[in-house]
Amino acid sequence: MFPFKTSIQFDRKSSQPLYLQLSNQIIQYIKNQTLIPNTKLPGSRVLAEQLNVHRKTIVACYDELLMQGWVESIPKQGTFVLSNLPVLHQQKLDNSAVSDFKIQTGFSYYKNSILSKKTIEKIDGFMFLNDGVSDSRLTPIDEIARTYRRVSSKKNVFDHLSYGSTYGNDTLRTVLVDYLNTTRGLHITKENVLITRGSQMGIWLSSQLLLKNNDIVVIGNTNYTSADSTFLYQKAKIERVLVDENGMVTDDIEKLCKQKQIKAVYVTSHHHHPTTVTLSAKRRIYLLNLSRRYNFAIIEDDYDYDFNYNHAPILPLASHDTNGNVIYIGSVCKTVAPVFRIGYLIASKEFVDEASKLRGYIDRQGDALLELTFASFIKSGDLDRHIRKVMKVYKQRRDLFCNLLKAQLGDLFEFEIPKGGMAIWVKLDSKYSWGNISKVAKKHKLEIGDWQRYDSAKLKHNCIRIGFATYNEEEIYELINRLKNTMDDFKTQIATAY
């Protein structure tokens, strides 16, 4: 007979009821065939006495096992392990505790060789270079929290807790129409707006609707790597054109159009990612004319429209588009904080309708309460006030960062002071390699990161993008100091080697 008294263990401090602890353990013994089919379980009184629990605990346990289908109750005979229960074939663990068990994949699946695994392992004491993100410490979290509580306390809040629209919250769409028409010079209605979970969803939806196998999308010879990966995952063919001090070279785009059928051009017109240059007015008009003549879409990713330090924001291509060729993508993630996954895709009603249907396959809807919160946050003027505040801070950080980098490492790094954005494009002296530098940097508790992602086209330009906005003044001094110590150490190693 199975030794229940010595085999069953209860954790009386656990929040899990005793009857569930007991039933789970009995199920485990049934699965590993310690309790085989047709085994008769002790009567409730007998087992209660053996385990020193109330009889009701045993009765509840047996009811649970019966409900789950592990046992069967035969009148006047008792409770038995189900007679026709199949044998569960399991991999045996060699001298391993259950707590050390790691799930193994028991089926085939398709692996993704295109998209990179984006995980940042934070190490205490280390500083990490980023390619331009906002400082989360400046997030107006109190204002957002108050707005969220106010939205949640309204009588009609329950109307927003069920399934909603794949287009996004109707109130936020309406607010964005007024806001984008005023600040971006757009001429849109609510039917042109799809709320997304950040810019990346907009890029993905656009690529899904525009591109099939071997369809051509044109990008810069340096480009936002997540967009590259999204297009490649769609099995599109990427054609790269030169990016100079005036942005993407539109003459090169025209040459491609004369030779091949172009489906889309992806552009970060305001501050090209990663180089930060701005697409000139002449090339903006030229690109719009090309899109009309050759019937291709322009995916305009305006990821940091709000951050300009030397001039007012430049109106996007979408503000000049009268032919419906531009898909305009933006978000509040960069402006406020990356955690708030709220963005937008602006396009013709027909395209937005299709994007909305497609969005439903991967994301039934957004977070209605968060979207309502940001609708109020935008409409009240809080967003604009936040932008004005952080603009001053980021401009000071840009100036300090660039001045220190020039003074301390100007002999090793070349860069232009960016007119906007949250990062600079830095070229390392051709005598050195970022790969070797990154190894030495770790000794000084500085993580360079995946420097190779900035050269997907294999141009060997020896440049990386370094963000400055996320560091305060003290941290900027420390970052430059660690970078200088890294370079001094590296140069010493080279001199010693020779």
Side-chain angles (χ1 to χ4, degrees), residues 310-329:
N310 296 18
H311 53 72
I314 298 174
L315 293 180
L317 288 163
S319 68
H320 307 294
D321 178 35
T322 58
N323 301 300
N325 290 89
V326 177
I327 303 164
Y328 184 65
I329 295 169

Side-chain angles (χ1 to χ4, degrees), residues 198-216:
S199 297
Q200 181 57 36
M201 179 182 279
I203 298 170
W204 185 85
L205 289 171
S206 299
S207 71
Q208 290 285 311
L209 294 176
L210 292 172
L211 305 170
K212 297 295 183 184
N213 192 25
N214 285 324
D215 281 342
I216 296 175

Side-chain angles (χ1 to χ4, degrees), residues 98-161:
V98 174
S99 60
D100 295 331
F101 176 67
K102 294 182 179 179
I103 295 177
Q104 302 292 323
T105 304
F107 51 85
S108 64
Y109 61 97
Y110 299 105
K111 294 184 178 181
N112 191 321
S113 60
I114 296 173
L115 300 179
S116 59
K117 182 181 178 182
K118 291 189 174 181
T119 54
I120 301 175
E121 183 181 353
K122 296 294 185 180
I123 305 173
D124 287 343
F126 268 68
M127 298 190 78
F128 295 78
L129 297 188
N130 63 73
D131 59 5
V133 297
S134 57
D135 188 346
S136 59
R137 294 168 295 189
L138 300 178
T139 304
I141 195 67
D142 290 338
E143 290 90 336
I144 293 172
R146 281 195 296 270
T147 305
Y148 193 95
R149 286 194 295 270
R150 186 170 64 251
V151 167
S152 302
S153 65
K154 290 184 177 180
K155 292 182 179 180
N156 68 341
V157 66
F158 300 104
D159 297 339
H160 302 286
L161 300 185

Side-chain angles (χ1 to χ4, degrees), residues 269-300:
S269 56
H270 209 165
H271 304 118
H272 175 71
H273 197 294
T275 68
T276 78
V277 298
T278 300
L279 188 66
S280 68
K282 179 181 178 180
R283 290 185 181 177
R284 287 166 183 259
I285 301 303
Y286 204 82
L287 181 58
L288 285 169
N289 288 338
L290 286 176
S291 70
R292 180 184 180 184
R293 190 186 317 160
Y294 293 99
N295 299 312
F296 60 77
I298 299 172
I299 306 173
E300 184 177 19

